[in-house]
Amino acid sequence: MSELKVEAKSRSEMLKQLREAHAVTVEQAQGLLRAQKQMHQSICKFIRENPKTVPEIAAAIGKPTHEVLWFIAASKKYGLVVEVGMCGDYPLYQRAKEAQE
Amino acid sequence: MENLQVDALVVGGGIAGMQAALDLADQGFKVVLVEREPSIGGKMITLSKVFPTLDCCSCITTPKMSSVAHHPNIQLLTYCELQSVTEAAEGFRVGVMQKPRYVDASKCTGCRNCEYECPITVPSPFDRGLGAYRAIRVPFSTAVPQAAVLDMENCILCGKCEKICAANAVDFTQQPETFDIHAATLIMASGFELTPLNAKKEYGGGALRNVIDPLMMERFLAPTGPYGRVLRPGDGKEPTSIAYVQCAGSRDTTLGVEYCSRVCCMYAIKQAMLISGALPLAEITIYYMDIRTFGKGYEQFYQNAQAMGVEFVRGKVASIREDAEQNPVVKVELTEESRTVERTHDLVVLSLGMLPATGSNEILGLPLGTDKFIAVPAPNASPCATAQPGVFVAGTAMGPMDIVDSIVTASAAAAAASAYIREHQKEAVYA
C-alpha cells in the first residue's frame, strides 16, 4: 500500500473514532444539516428563474419569514444568493449562478 | 501546563483591556492579556460608528487589536477562561484554561477555505444571531488572531475542513491547555452584558421579531452586517418607521436596575442619525423620559439629530404588541399631554442598559457595589483601585460608561498598576 493510501486510511479511521466519541452531537448536527439542505434546496428552486422577496419565498415553501430571511442572509454571505433589486419595500433575491448569467 | 511570569495580567480583550495592556507594555512591563472569546475586540468591534464624532469603530479598534497582537511585551491568550486566582508571594497566581480551537492557531493563515467547505451553517453571535457562519470559521473578518475555530457541538466530523486546509492546521484531537501565570498585578477589564432583550415582557423583546436590541441595529448599520443594509429581521422589509424606547433596561426598579446606563441616550441618537443617512425617507421616533447628553460635544450632537428631523417624544412606553403585518404597535403615555396613544412602527429598538459581565469577577471574589459592578472604594482618590491591593479595574467592569471613559479608565488603571509594580520592585530591592 502506498504511503498516501496508508495516511488516508489512518485519517478516516481517526475520524470514525472521533464520530463515535462525539456520537450525540454528531447525530444532532447531522439532523441540522439535513434540515438545512432541504431548506436550501426549496429556496434555491423557487428563486432560480425569477428573483423573489422574502415573504414570497416564505409563502411558497411554507416556512416563517424570519427563518427564510436568516437562510437568505447566510446564503448571501457565502455567495450562493445575490440581491438583485427591490420590489416595494422588500429586496429581491436570486440564486447567484442564474443572476450572474 | 505552561508557566508564565509577568508583571501584569489583564482580564478582558475589549477596548479597555487592550488599552491597559498597551499602556503597560509600552512602559516595558511584561503583560499577559486573557480573553474568553476566540478574538479580541470586545463589544466595540461589533459597533458601526462611535458618538459624537461618527468615526468608524473598526478603524479605531482594529489598529489597537493589531498592536496588541504584535507587541513584543504582550502575550495574548484568546479563547481562555480564568480558573482560579490566589494571592502568592509578590503578586497573584492565576490559573487559566485555554479551550480547544481544534485548529492550530500558529499554522492557520485565516484563508477561510475551511469555512467555505464546511456544510453546517449556524447563527453567528457576532451578528447577534441574525447572521450566520459555519461550524468552522474565522469569527469575523478582522478577528485577531486571524485563525479559525471549530464548534465541535455543531460538527459532523466529515473531515472536509481538514482535507482542504493547505496549512494542515485542523486538529480534531486538540485538548484544553492550562497556564499557571504568576503576575505582580491584575487589571480587570471584563466588560458588560446587555440587559436581556426579554427582560420586560410587556415590551415583547424576544417574542416579537421586529423588536430588537441596540447591538442588532449596530450590526445592521455596519458594512459587514448580516443583511448588508437595514432590514427588519421579521420578514426582510426595509423599515420606513423606526422607534426607540429609552430606559428599556435601566432606571427600572422592576428589573432591579435602578441606575442610568449612561450610554443609551447617545447610542439611540447616534443610530437615529445613521439610519437617517441609510434610509433618508424613514421616520425615526425616540420615546424618552429625559435625555442625558452629559459628555463633551454630546448636547450639540442631540441638537443636530433634532435638526435632522428625528422626532423626540417625551413619554413612557407601557407595552408593545404586534399587528397582523408583524408591525410593532407601541402604547405610550405622553407625559406632557397626559394621554395615552398607540402608534404603529415597522421596527422598534429597545434601548437596553448595561449589566456586569459574569464569570471572571466571581472567580476573583472582589467586593461588588450595590449595582453588582466591581466596587471602587475610593472613587475620588483612586478611581481604578479595587478593595484588593494590586488589583485594578478598567472600563465597564466598574460600571456603565461610554467608550471615551472606558479608554480613560484603562489608561488610569495602567498608570496605577505601573506605580504599584515599581513600588513593589523597589521594596524587593531594599528588602
Side-chain angles (χ1 to χ4, degrees):
Chain A
M1 207 184 288
S2 76
E3 206 173 293
L4 277 176
K5 274 187 179 172
V6 173
E7 199 182 311
K9 198 180 172 193
S10 84
R11 190 178 152 272
S12 117
E13 191 57 38
M14 182 205 68
L15 280 171
K16 195 180 161 192
Q17 282 173 9
L18 281 167
R19 274 195 290 271
E20 281 166 11
H22 295 90
V24 177
T25 55
V26 166
E27 199 184 333
Q28 282 169 354
Q30 279 170 338
L32 179 68
L33 178 61
R34 272 193 294 274
Q36 287 185 348
K37 267 190 173 169
Q38 205 178 5
M39 181 86 157
H40 183 72
Q41 279 167 0
S42 314
I43 291 175
C44 283
K45 197 175 163 191
F46 190 63
I47 60 174
R48 191 173 295 160
E49 300 298 324
N50 295 303
K52 303 285 180 193
T53 65
V54 167
E56 286 171 339
I57 302 165
I61 67 170
K63 293 282 181 187
T65 46
H66 69 271
E67 270 185 40
V68 170
L69 177 61
W70 186 83
F71 260 87
I72 291 285
S75 304
K76 199 171 152 228
K77 178 177 177 179
Y78 291 105
L80 304 170
V81 165
V82 291
E83 201 181 295
V84 290
M86 295 289 286
C87 176
D89 290 331
Y90 291 90
L92 287 160
Y93 300 99
Q94 192 173 17
R95 205 165 80 136
K97 201 176 162 193
E98 282 74 20
Q100 282 153 8
E101 275 170 6
Chain B
M1 184 187 285
E2 197 175 330
N3 291 305
L4 299 171
Q5 176 102 28
V6 289
D7 296 307
L9 183 143
V10 178
V11 179
I15 188 65
M18 291 193 293
Q19 186 66 49
L22 285 169
D23 282 1
L24 282 168
D26 285 345
Q27 293 176 55
F29 294 113
K30 295 285 178 196
V31 181
V32 162
L33 192 151
V34 178
E35 166 59 43
R36 69 175 163 193
E37 297 295 330
S39 168
I40 53 172
K43 300 272 192 308
M44 188 172 167
I45 193 64
T46 72
L47 307 182
S48 53
K49 295 192 176 181
V50 289
F51 59 77
T53 54
L54 295 184
D55 288 328
C56 157
C57 251
S58 193
C59 306
I60 300 167
T61 320
T62 311
K64 281 199 197 291
M65 292 161 71
S66 183
S67 298
V68 166
H70 296 109
H71 203 295
N73 288 338
I74 299 177
Q75 182 163 357
L76 183 56
L77 299 178
T78 53
Y79 215 30
C80 285
E81 295 282 358
L82 225 57
Q83 298 275 285
S84 60
V85 180
T86 49
E87 276 189 77
E90 290 163 34
F92 301 89
R93 212 173 147 183
V94 183
V96 171
M97 193 263 289
Q98 188 161 48
K99 294 173 275 186
R101 292 179 88 102
Y102 301 105
V103 169
D104 185 338
S106 64
K107 287 184 186 170
C108 181
T109 60
C111 70
R112 297 178 70 196
N113 280 342
C114 56
E115 187 174 345
Y116 279 86
E117 198 67 11
C118 178
I120 303 256
T121 309
V122 291
S124 156
F126 187 76
D127 282 329
R128 309 289 291 169
L130 299 173
Y133 52 26
R134 297 278 164 78
I136 186 166
R137 69 274 171 163
V138 175
F140 50 91
S141 54
T142 55
V144 170
Q146 188 67 202
V149 57
L150 189 148
D151 161 15
M152 197 51 99
E153 292 293 303
N154 286 302
C155 179
I156 57 168
L157 287 158
C158 62
K160 284 184 177 176
C161 52
E162 189 191 27
K163 212 170 177 180
I164 195 94
C165 182
N168 285 321
V170 178
D171 176 7
F172 295 112
T173 61
Q174 212 173 56
Q175 295 294 316
E177 201 178 333
T178 52
F179 293 88
D180 185 16
I181 305 169
H182 191 273
T185 181
L186 305 181
I187 295 182
M188 293 298 291
S190 45
F192 73 97
E193 297 296 341
L194 212 57
T195 315
L197 183 58
N198 62 358
K200 275 186 90 69
K201 302 291 175 214
E202 58 270 38
Y203 288 173
L208 309 182
R209 298 279 168 195
N210 295 322
V211 174
I212 64 169
D213 73 38
L215 290 178
M216 290 175 177
M217 182 54 87
E218 289 290 340
R219 295 308 303 144
F220 295 160
L221 290 165
T224 55
Y227 312 139
R229 53 159 70 221
V230 181
L231 297 177
R232 62 181 199 176
D235 61 358
K237 182 185 178 188
E238 195 174 74
T240 51
S241 168
I242 300 163
Y244 281 81
V245 177
Q246 297 307 107
C247 300
S250 318
R251 303 173 70 198
D252 191 330
T253 49
T254 63
L255 295 177
V257 183
E258 294 175 17
Y259 53 83
C260 167
S261 286
R262 293 166 51 105
V263 293
C264 319
C265 289
M266 284 303 289
Y267 72 59
I269 295 169
K270 175 199 75 176
Q271 290 186 359
M273 289 170 86
L274 294 175
I275 294 167
S276 295
L279 305 170
L281 298 179
E283 289 173 359
I284 305 156
T285 308
I286 296 181
Y287 297 106
Y288 71 99
M289 294 201 286
D290 34 35
I291 293 288
R292 297 181 169 181
T293 50
F294 53 85
K296 188 179 169 79
Y298 290 8
E299 181 61 22
Q300 184 63 48
F301 194 70
Y302 170 38
Q303 287 171 17
N304 289 350
Q306 287 175 307
M308 283 173 77
V310 176
E311 185 191 18
F312 288 82
V313 176
R314 185 162 199 161
K316 181 67 187 163
V317 171
S319 61
I320 303 172
R321 63 178 177 83
E322 198 174 69
D323 70 10
E325 278 82 46
Q326 297 193 31
N327 299 313
V329 181
V330 175
K331 186 177 182 183
V332 56
E333 185 193 344
L334 304 173
T335 45
E336 285 175 343
E337 298 174 31
S338 299
R339 65 189 179 100
T340 303
V341 294
E342 279 200 332
R343 292 173 74 174
T344 303
H345 300 279
D346 287 334
L347 183 64
V348 168
V349 184
L350 301 181
S351 288
L352 302 174
M354 286 182 172
L355 300 177
T358 53
S360 315
N361 298 352
E362 287 76 3
I363 290 161
L364 202 54
L366 287 171
L368 305 178
T370 51
D371 56 5
K372 309 285 193 309
F373 288 91
I374 295 174
V376 176
N380 293 318
S382 310
C384 296
T386 68
Q388 168 78 48
V391 181
F392 302 91
V393 59
T396 52
M398 71 165 83
M401 65 181 70
D402 59 22
I403 291 166
V404 176
D405 287 352
S406 288
I407 293 172
V408 168
T409 57
S411 288
S418 162
Y420 181 87
I421 299 166
R422 287 182 205 281
E423 190 63 31
H424 280 251
Q425 280 171 346
K426 222 188 289 173
E427 279 172 16
V429 169
Y430 292 132

